[in-house]
Amino acid sequence: RRPAGRGGFDAFPAGRSLVAARRSAEASGLQKLRVALAAAPVEEFSLTDGRGVCIYSSSEDVASAIVAETAAEARAAIAEKGAFSLCVPGGFGPDENAVGGGASFVAEALAGLSKADGLDFSRFHVFFCGERLDHEDTYVSARKAWIDACGIPLDQVHAVPPGAFAEGVAAQYTATICMQEEEVISDSPTGLPAVDLMLLDASDDGTVGRLRPDSDEMREVGSEKVVLPVERRGEEAVALSMDFLNASRRAIVAAPAGCSAEHRRTMVSVALGGVDAGAA
């Protein structure tokens, strides 16, 4: 239904404990957007291409900002087109050592979404950044952490389908995304399906979502694919492509507490699809 294309992230890294990134939906992709956040950033600056960066002082502040941003984007999308599409890391996050270890930071933060005012959860559609094929931890953990509490209809929670082979599952999930109605997932200016909000978390090695730096999946940038098979020793999984991440109308990336400046630079560079992130 849709050809794939490329977009770009605006960065919104957060401070001593977490890093968050956000992008603009404007054609230029360079203007910093302001929303009513529950906590104000302690520092703001820009990357070399003009994309805005905000630093937060604590994980609690970032969690509050994630909830505020998600709620604001949901209200705006539902008012504009009658539905809100949200893509999340879901469960244990990108660290493979954390399989079965519970919800990710983003999923824990979204637990506060059920208390936000004025949200019509019957209009939410949830998608996932990826999943290992030997379990459903991402989907199950997300439900336990926040989806069930919000009362989102389960037929609008689009889990990665089960399957034994990553290539086939990637094709199935690509079809799930691309066949959504326009009010759920619209087209980006470049033709790639664009969710309303992309929430990602990052590990301290720079992994964003399920995309590891210098991986085969990162080398697929520009391939015009939506979902990629991940086939590594001991791992069969799928991951959303960087092209698809870059096309989202808004994006937030949260990095773990205590990650080094080098890891923050790596994370933002990955999130920006290889753009210089030296300022982060």
Side-chain angles (χ1 to χ4, degrees):
R1 172 168 163 263
R2 299 177 172 102
R6 289 195 66 191
F9 276 88
D10 275 346
F12 233 37
R16 290 181 300 186
S17 44
L18 293 166
V19 179
R22 181 174 62 188
R23 81 178 285 277
S24 166
E26 275 71 31
S28 68
L30 298 178
Q31 295 183 7
K32 181 188 299 183
L33 300 181
R34 300 305 303 254
V35 297
L37 298 178
V42 297
E43 182 181 349
E44 299 182 65
F45 58 92
S46 297
L47 300 178
T48 55
D49 63 2
R51 285 177 275 200
V53 178
C54 293
I55 299 177
Y56 294 89
S57 62
S58 70
S59 57
E60 291 80 8
D61 286 351
V62 176
S64 296
I66 288 173
V67 170
E69 175 84 1
T70 302
E73 295 301 330
R75 295 185 193 102
I78 292 169
E80 174 191 348
K81 56 190 180 68
F84 173 58
S85 54
L86 172 65
C87 191
V88 297
F92 55 83
D95 184 354
E96 291 307 310
N97 294 325
V99 172
S104 69
F105 172 79
V106 168
E108 290 177 342
L110 288 174
L113 197 62
S114 63
K115 301 175 183 178
D117 294 331
L119 293 181
D120 184 353
F121 291 111
S122 71
R123 305 295 185 93
F124 276 54
H125 287 256
V126 181
F127 302 84
F128 295 90
C129 294
E131 182 73 278
R132 286 176 63 109
L133 302 186
D134 55 355
H135 56 68
E136 291 185 322
D137 273 12
T138 295
Y139 170 75
V140 172
S141 295
R143 281 193 59 185
K144 290 180 179 178
W146 66 279
I147 289 173
D148 288 353
C150 291
I152 298 171
L154 292 184
D155 62 352
Q156 293 169 201
V157 180
H158 305 281
V160 174
F165 301 103
E167 189 168 343
V169 174
Q172 286 182 271
Y173 207 45
T174 295
T176 296
I177 291 169
C178 290
M179 295 306 295
Q180 296 297 314
E181 297 295 331
E182 287 287 337
E183 64 265 24
V184 176
I185 298 183
S186 59
D187 289 325
S188 70
T190 56
L192 189 71
V195 295
D196 296 309
L197 181 62
M198 178 75 63
L199 294 179
L200 300 164
D201 54 9
S203 66
D204 60 4
D205 68 354
T207 297
V208 174
R210 299 197 72 90
L211 298 176
R212 298 179 180 178
D214 301 321
S215 65
D216 290 340
E217 294 75 53
M218 284 300 300
R219 286 185 277 274
E220 291 283 350
V221 171
S223 67
E224 300 190 343
K225 295 178 181 178
V226 175
V227 186
L228 302 172
V230 178
E231 298 173 314
R232 305 186 185 103
R233 185 175 181 179
E235 177 188 0
E236 195 90 1
V238 295
L240 297 183
S241 71
M242 181 56 65
D243 289 346
F244 181 68
L245 304 187
N246 279 341
S248 58
R249 299 178 73 184
R250 301 286 189 276
I252 296 172
V253 179
C259 67
S260 66
E262 179 182 357
H263 286 153
R264 289 199 300 271
R265 284 193 293 270
T266 301
M267 181 279 298
V268 175
S269 182
V270 171
L272 297 177
V275 174
D276 174 32

